[in-house]
């Protein structure tokens, strides 16, 4: 009997180990043909209800749940603030064209981008007053997740992205934000190889011949909030050189005149080199193959 029990235990252990070795993060989709006039870009979002005379951008900083709460408070106040513009009375929130966010602020920005004013109904209970940190830790307890995390192709941030996708963003993608009509949400992460930012927009994804509209918002938020050491990098595949991508004119000019801006010069490899390697934006990590 003891031999049988040991055999069954070893078989289970080996089986879950093999299963864990097969765990893999979802690959970003390949873009066959790059077009500067299509995709998740500010100029392509149909925001017919916005006033032409006002361009309003918001920026949400990082800082965990406190940052998410501050961003939520800003949206609440904008919703209360009424203005009279172009013969119409409306709230300032209705005039927001885009939100740029990082880390904790990305949770609020992404949720508003996907669900609009529904954020005032359930975001507090679904995220702000929820012990997300504890629940993320509990996600690592099941044995099958132990072995998934042993895989070289699946990390703690991938597990976090799955949690955010299931419990907060409901499978929403950047394409869903685009379909809803905006505002455009710029979720920022960090390329730790170059020390520069990486933004989830089609302009950035053109350089790696990938389609950002099919990226789950949860993975972008996981990248934006991936605290080094505690959480692992989020990985993207680099398909550069296969979609007829042409670097923007400003990139070509900067490469010819690097003294114009040192920061811009170090950003240009991401938008001009077919084989660059992405690895992190202030709390967000990437590995691009």
């Amino acid at each position: 009997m003891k031999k049988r029990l040991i055999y069954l235990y070893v078989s289970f252990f080996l089986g879950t180990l093999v299963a864990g070795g097969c765990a893999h993060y979802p690959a970003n989709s390949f873009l066959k043909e790059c077009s500067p006039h299509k995709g998740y870009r500010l100029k392509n979002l149909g925001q017919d209800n916005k006033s032409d005379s006002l361009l309003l951008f918001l920026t949400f900083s990082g800082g965990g749940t406190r940052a998410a709460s501050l961003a939520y408070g800003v949206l609440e106040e904008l919703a209360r603030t009424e203005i009279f513009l172009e013969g119409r009375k409306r709230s300032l929130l209705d005039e927001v064209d885009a939100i740029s966010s990082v880390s904790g602020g990305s949770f609020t920005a992404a949720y508003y981008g996907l669900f609009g004013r529904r954020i005032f109904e359930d975001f507090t209970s679904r995220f702000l007053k929820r012990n997300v940190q504890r629940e993320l830790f509990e996600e690592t307890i099941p044995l099958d997740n132990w072995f998934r995390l042993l895989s070289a192709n699946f990390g703690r941030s991938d597990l976090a992205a799955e949690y955010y996708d299931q419990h907060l963003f409901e499978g929403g993608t950047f394409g869903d934000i685009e379909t809803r009509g905006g505002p455009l949400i710029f979720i920022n992460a960090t390329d730790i190889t170059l020390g520069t930012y990486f933004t989830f927009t089609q302009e950035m994804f053109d350089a790696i011949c990938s389609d950002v509209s099919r990226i789950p918002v949860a993975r972008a938020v996981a990248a934006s909030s991936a605290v080094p050491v505690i959480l692992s990098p989020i990985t993207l595949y680099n398909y550069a050189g296969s979609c007829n991508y042409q670097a923007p004119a400003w990139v070509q000019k900067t490469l010819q005149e690097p003294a114009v801006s040192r920061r811009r010069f170090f950003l240009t490899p991401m938008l001009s080199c077919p084989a660059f390697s992405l690895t992190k934006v202030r709390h967000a990590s990437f590995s691009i193959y």
Side-chain angles (χ1 to χ4, degrees):
M1 179 61 70
K2 288 184 178 180
K3 289 183 179 180
R4 181 184 178 116
L5 290 175
I6 292 173
Y7 171 75
L8 290 175
Y9 174 77
V10 171
S11 297
F12 173 74
F13 177 83
L14 291 176
T16 49
L17 183 60
V18 170
C22 295
H24 202 289
Y25 53 83
N28 49 299
S29 61
F30 168 68
L31 182 66
K32 185 177 180 180
E33 188 71 25
C34 174
S35 173
H37 306 294
K38 297 179 180 179
Y40 186 76
R41 312 171 198 269
L42 184 60
K43 63 181 180 181
N44 293 335
L45 288 185
Q47 303 184 68
D48 297 332
N49 60 330
K50 302 289 191 300
S51 301
D52 295 331
S53 57
L54 177 63
L55 183 64
L56 182 57
F57 278 31
L58 307 179
T59 59
F60 293 163
S61 65
T65 305
R66 289 177 296 178
S69 299
L70 175 61
Y72 178 78
V74 169
L75 294 180
E76 277 191 317
E77 191 59 33
L78 289 175
R80 297 191 194 103
T81 305
E82 293 186 335
I83 59 173
F84 192 79
L85 195 64
E86 297 180 0
R88 294 185 298 171
K89 187 178 182 181
R90 53 200 292 109
S91 74
L92 266 178
L93 184 60
D94 295 328
E95 291 295 327
V96 174
D97 295 283
I99 302 174
S100 178
S101 66
V102 70
S103 195
S106 292
F107 289 91
T108 309
Y111 200 86
Y112 180 68
L114 283 171
F115 306 118
R117 285 178 177 259
R118 174 183 147 185
I119 193 172
F120 303 124
E121 301 172 10
D122 57 11
F123 185 68
T124 297
S125 60
R126 297 188 71 184
F127 184 75
L128 296 181
K129 292 185 177 181
R130 190 169 185 167
N131 194 335
V132 174
Q133 184 176 1
R134 184 195 66 198
E135 293 184 19
L136 284 175
F137 174 76
E138 291 174 349
E139 289 290 313
T140 66
I141 295 177
L143 193 59
D144 58 338
N145 282 340
W146 285 15
F147 291 103
R148 293 175 77 202
L149 291 171
L150 287 175
S151 170
N153 297 313
F154 191 88
R156 295 179 298 279
S157 287
D158 297 305
L159 194 63
E162 289 183 352
Y163 172 89
Y164 302 148
D165 197 55
Q166 179 181 355
H167 297 284
L168 192 61
F169 299 118
E170 301 176 7
T173 65
F174 285 96
D176 293 325
I177 296 178
E178 183 179 4
T179 299
R180 185 179 171 275
L184 188 79
I185 307 299
F186 295 99
I187 296 181
N188 296 284
T190 301
D191 176 355
I192 57 176
T193 300
L194 300 174
T196 57
Y197 67 88
F198 181 89
T199 307
F200 283 77
T201 62
Q202 192 53 51
E203 282 85 356
M204 283 287 190
F205 274 72
D206 281 345
I208 59 173
C209 293
S210 186
D211 184 4
V212 73
S213 69
R214 299 176 65 181
I215 296 287
V217 169
R219 284 191 67 75
V221 173
S224 187
S225 57
V227 180
V229 181
I230 297 176
L231 293 168
S232 60
I234 288 289
T235 301
L236 297 174
Y237 281 107
N238 184 0
Y239 308 108
S242 57
C243 63
N244 296 320
Y245 169 72
Q246 298 294 325
W250 71 263
V251 170
Q252 300 175 24
K253 181 178 179 180
T254 302
L255 290 174
Q256 295 170 1
E257 305 173 20
V260 172
S261 169
R262 187 173 181 83
R263 284 182 59 84
R264 177 175 283 191
F265 177 74
F266 280 106
L267 174 62
T268 53
M270 291 197 299
L271 297 174
S272 61
C273 177
F276 75 93
S277 172
L278 271 186
T279 346
K280 199 163 170 106
V281 177
R282 186 179 296 243
H283 281 332
S285 312
F286 295 95
S287 301
I288 292 194
Y289 298 98

